[in-house]
Amino acid sequence: MELRTLRYFVTVAEELHFGRAAARLHMSQPPLSRAIKQLENDVGAVLLHRSSAGVMLTPAGAALLDEARTLLDQVDRLRVRVAAAAGAATITVGILSDSADRGATRLAAAYRRRHPGVEVRIRETDLTDPTCGLRAGLVDVALTRGPFDETGLTVHELRADPVGAVLRADDPLARRDRLELADLADRRWFQFPDGTDPIWQSYWNGGEPREGPVVRVVQECLQAVLWNGTVGMMPLGHDPPEELAVVPLIDMAPSRVVAAWNEGDANPLIRSLVQIATAAYRD
Amino acid sequence: MELRTLRYFVTVAEELHFGRAAARLHMSQPPLSRAIKQLENDVGAVLLHRSSAGVMLTPAGAALLDEARTLLDQVDRLRVRVAAAAGAATITVGILSDSADRGATRLAAAYRRRHPGVEVRIRETDLTDPTCGLRAGLVDVALTRGPFDETGLTVHELRADPVGAVLRADDPLARRDRLELADLADRRWFQFPDGTDPIWQSYWNGGEPREGPVVRVVQECLQAVLWNGTVGMMPLGHDPPEELAVVPLIDMAPSRVVAAWNEGDANPLIRSLVQIATAAYRD
DNA sequence: GGCGACGATACCCGTACGGTATCGGCACCA
DNA sequence: TGGTGCCGATACCGTACGGGTATCGTCGCC
């Protein structure tokens, strides 16, 4: 008997309907039916009476529902007590300025639920340092984008976004449904300040050294497009800003959304965050 | 977080030694180490302090040990309460007279622990009905041997025993280390009464009709060997009786030790027994 | 009697768990 | 100081189980 199975049972007992319970559990109905049957074999009693009229709890099922609820409540209490015994915990998360998307939102919600006692400090950073100050020890874990110099860091991919060119809506190329880097070769591009991670810099410049204004945050980059007609770049999937168009660049490698931390840092709060992030970004 | 993991942790916390804990859990050390590490990531705290001096509980670990113990106790209480709510339960187990071996002993112990409230009735039956009265409804589940007519029954293999010929110790063939059925063709064999399952009958006669005394229990069969010089047969693995020798028969198919129940009988107590039996016979 | 709803069954696939082999660090000792 | 043994961590592999889709069986209900 495992806790997962008990959670399944509680859901079915609440819904009294396998299909709806499966939906609430984000799974399909057959494995749920199977899990309940295994639970019945495990406890040695029929828990649910299935008939065409519907699903009903047997006396044994009612008893198990009650017990299972208190058991699952106790698991939450357990988490809180362990966290309290571990002492005041803090984790500092670095987030690249344009990475506060839906995945990060879900991550934050799930992480607060899982570790209610942990103080999460957020440090949002501009585009000049994709590691968000990991190496300097300013953050414990970074939610950011690749590619960048990974030496001394452990990097865990969460997603991969195709990349597009940002152009003024009235730009002749803006009507194209896809572009190649060569189409933009004669344009002015944006630049990052000196000292920026060269892999990162080179990636956003399409591998070539470019001429153009220096930017530090996404807004500056977009403004440069609007006012100076430079080429900008951004991951696809976000809504294009007003007056601008984003056209997929077919010969740019996708930009990997990643979690990164200092190699060898065994802080369980970091590992837990990465684990939760993996689930939060999956769907 | 699953209960299995908590059981692992409690064991490690009690032993303060991964190797010994793994031995107690009947597993090897590496997956245990990994499971504890995952648990630490799950609760977001280091639970054990590993050093060359040994393994120590951290404050968080001590808190979790306490909580986990009460949680696991509660699971046992849950089982009892569900069984009580299910009402007085009875299961009748048929055991073929020579099948009360170590596997069955372990099964009985494990089943009593898992289902303390269930009244288990045992019906030991002689060799004339390998189904132990399943079809007549005399038993819910049979622990027996194959082969027999399986129509209307569901049969689950637990083990397979090679079969040997039982001979008087002074029989010239008794010194051989293996025999074929042909070596015994001119002997008198034992018989089962009329009406015995023909597949079962034929199996123990080596596929041929034979002449010889009718027996109903193993003892009669052995006595017939001793007093009348007939050929007897029995599964290997048991100690040969006094004054008798058991010689492997290389052209007899092994006799399958099985659990069997009436097809479509969904009684969870039966399924649970079969599941526990599978584990009990495995090692 | 055809249809729709719903749980059960059959079958496939990927992941995660447990296994063996090996490493790395540390104490103890010659 | 180098050798040895202990012990937890890591690497890698195979399998069993959990979850998926497709389909069935059964029972109300127009």
Side-chain angles (χ1 to χ4, degrees):
Chain A
M1 185 189 317
E2 292 300 324
L3 293 174
R4 178 174 43 81
T5 319
L6 291 178
R7 289 192 193 96
Y8 288 179
F9 173 72
V10 169
T11 308
V12 175
E14 283 171 357
E15 294 287 340
L16 291 177
H17 187 290
F18 280 77
R20 279 197 299 274
R24 259 183 58 187
L25 290 163
H26 306 294
M27 64 190 294
S28 57
Q29 169 259 323
L32 179 59
S33 289
R34 204 176 40 188
I36 299 297
K37 179 160 293 186
Q38 282 170 355
L39 179 61
E40 289 179 322
N41 293 343
D42 184 17
V43 300
V46 176
L47 299 169
L48 296 164
H49 183 242
R50 293 88 154 165
S51 75
S52 54
V55 175
M56 309 223 56
L57 278 176
T58 62
L64 181 59
L65 175 59
D66 183 47
E67 290 283 326
R69 277 182 172 144
T70 66
L71 202 74
L72 293 173
D73 283 350
Q74 200 138 346
V75 172
D76 293 338
R77 279 194 36 228
L78 174 151
R79 286 210 137 87
V80 173
R81 273 208 48 195
V82 170
T90 302
I91 185 173
T92 306
V93 183
I95 300 188
L96 194 71
S97 61
D98 72 332
S99 295
D101 56 357
R102 269 199 80 232
T105 312
R106 273 209 298 271
L107 165 60
Y111 197 76
R112 287 209 78 82
R113 263 196 304 122
R114 173 68 71 86
H115 302 294
V118 174
E119 182 186 342
V120 182
R121 295 216 176 91
I122 300 294
R123 185 166 182 276
E124 194 165 335
T125 56
D126 62 31
L127 299 176
T128 61
D129 178 16
T131 69
C132 306
L134 257 185
R135 286 212 185 73
L138 298 174
V139 306
D140 296 311
V141 56
L143 294 174
T144 181
R145 298 191 163 277
F148 49 80
D149 176 19
E150 300 185 1
T151 54
L153 307 178
T154 306
V155 175
H156 182 93
E157 175 167 335
L158 300 171
R159 206 177 59 202
D161 288 333
V163 170
V166 182
L167 302 161
R168 270 211 297 251
D170 60 359
D171 191 300
L173 292 181
R175 303 204 200 126
R176 307 264 287 269
D177 59 348
R178 56 207 178 87
L179 290 172
E180 299 180 24
L181 283 167
D183 296 323
L184 307 166
D186 55 346
R187 306 278 182 124
R188 280 167 58 84
W189 287 46
F190 64 93
Q191 301 269 84
F192 291 129
D194 285 353
T196 304
D197 186 300
I199 296 176
W200 173 250
Q201 170 93 280
S202 162
Y203 173 79
W204 291 109
N205 280 343
E208 306 280 333
R210 308 282 179 178
E211 286 290 311
V214 168
V215 301
R216 294 174 172 273
V217 296
V218 177
Q219 278 308 319
E220 283 177 2
C221 174
L222 299 179
Q223 293 299 322
V225 176
L226 282 169
W227 294 81
N228 303 329
T230 59
V231 173
M233 312 202 45
M234 65 180 290
L236 299 180
H238 306 74
D239 290 328
E242 198 89 13
E243 302 293 326
L244 291 173
V246 183
V247 184
L249 269 164
I250 59 174
D251 52 354
M252 281 277 288
S255 167
R256 300 159 69 229
V257 176
V258 300
W261 61 97
N262 282 308
E263 205 171 282
D265 188 340
N267 183 344
L269 290 174
I270 297 177
R271 304 305 175 98
S272 180
L273 185 138
V274 174
Q275 198 173 303
I276 296 171
T278 308
Y281 276 81
R282 188 157 40 219
D283 32 43
Chain B
M1 183 188 319
E2 292 300 323
L3 293 174
R4 178 175 43 82
T5 318
L6 291 179
R7 290 191 191 96
Y8 289 179
F9 173 71
V10 169
T11 308
V12 175
E14 283 171 357
E15 295 288 340
L16 292 177
H17 186 289
F18 279 78
R20 280 197 298 275
R24 259 182 61 187
L25 290 164
H26 307 293
M27 65 190 293
S28 57
Q29 169 259 322
L32 180 59
S33 288
R34 205 177 36 189
I36 299 297
K37 179 160 295 188
Q38 282 170 355
L39 179 62
E40 289 179 321
N41 293 343
D42 185 18
V43 300
V46 176
L47 301 169
L48 296 164
H49 184 242
R50 295 89 154 165
S51 75
S52 55
V55 175
M56 310 222 57
L57 278 176
T58 62
L64 181 60
L65 176 59
D66 183 46
E67 290 283 326
R69 276 182 172 143
T70 66
L71 201 74
L72 294 173
D73 283 350
Q74 200 138 344
V75 171
D76 294 337
R77 279 193 37 229
L78 174 151
R79 287 210 135 86
V80 173
R81 273 208 48 194
V82 170
T90 302
I91 185 172
T92 306
V93 182
I95 301 189
L96 194 71
S97 62
D98 71 332
S99 295
D101 56 356
R102 268 199 81 232
T105 312
R106 272 209 298 270
L107 165 60
Y111 197 75
R112 287 208 80 81
R113 262 196 304 122
R114 173 68 71 85
H115 303 294
V118 174
E119 184 187 340
V120 181
R121 294 217 177 90
I122 301 295
R123 186 167 181 275
E124 194 166 336
T125 57
D126 62 30
L127 300 176
T128 62
D129 178 16
T131 70
C132 306
L134 257 186
R135 286 210 185 73
L138 298 174
V139 306
D140 295 312
V141 56
L143 294 173
T144 182
R145 294 190 167 278
F148 50 81
D149 176 18
E150 300 185 2
T151 55
L153 307 178
T154 306
V155 175
H156 183 94
E157 175 167 334
L158 300 172
R159 206 178 58 203
D161 288 334
V163 170
V166 182
L167 302 161
R168 273 211 295 250
D170 59 359
D171 191 300
L173 292 182
R175 301 206 202 122
R176 307 265 286 269
D177 59 348
R178 56 207 179 87
L179 291 173
E180 297 179 24
L181 284 167
D183 296 324
L184 306 165
D186 55 346
R187 306 279 182 120
R188 280 166 60 82
W189 288 46
F190 65 94
Q191 301 267 85
F192 292 129
D194 285 354
T196 304
D197 186 300
I199 295 176
W200 174 250
Q201 170 92 280
S202 162
Y203 173 78
W204 291 109
N205 280 341
E208 307 278 335
R210 310 282 181 176
E211 287 289 309
V214 169
V215 301
R216 293 174 174 274
V217 295
V218 176
Q219 277 307 318
E220 283 177 2
C221 174
L222 299 179
Q223 293 298 322
V225 176
L226 282 168
W227 294 82
N228 303 330
T230 59
V231 173
M233 311 198 49
M234 65 182 289
L236 299 179
H238 306 77
D239 291 328
E242 197 90 13
E243 302 293 326
L244 291 173
V246 183
V247 184
L249 271 163
I250 59 173
D251 53 353
M252 282 277 286
S255 168
R256 299 159 70 229
V257 177
V258 300
W261 61 96
N262 282 307
E263 206 172 282
D265 188 341
N267 183 342
L269 289 173
I270 298 177
R271 304 306 176 98
S272 179
L273 186 138
V274 174
Q275 198 173 305
I276 295 171
T278 307
Y281 277 80
R282 187 155 39 217
D283 32 40

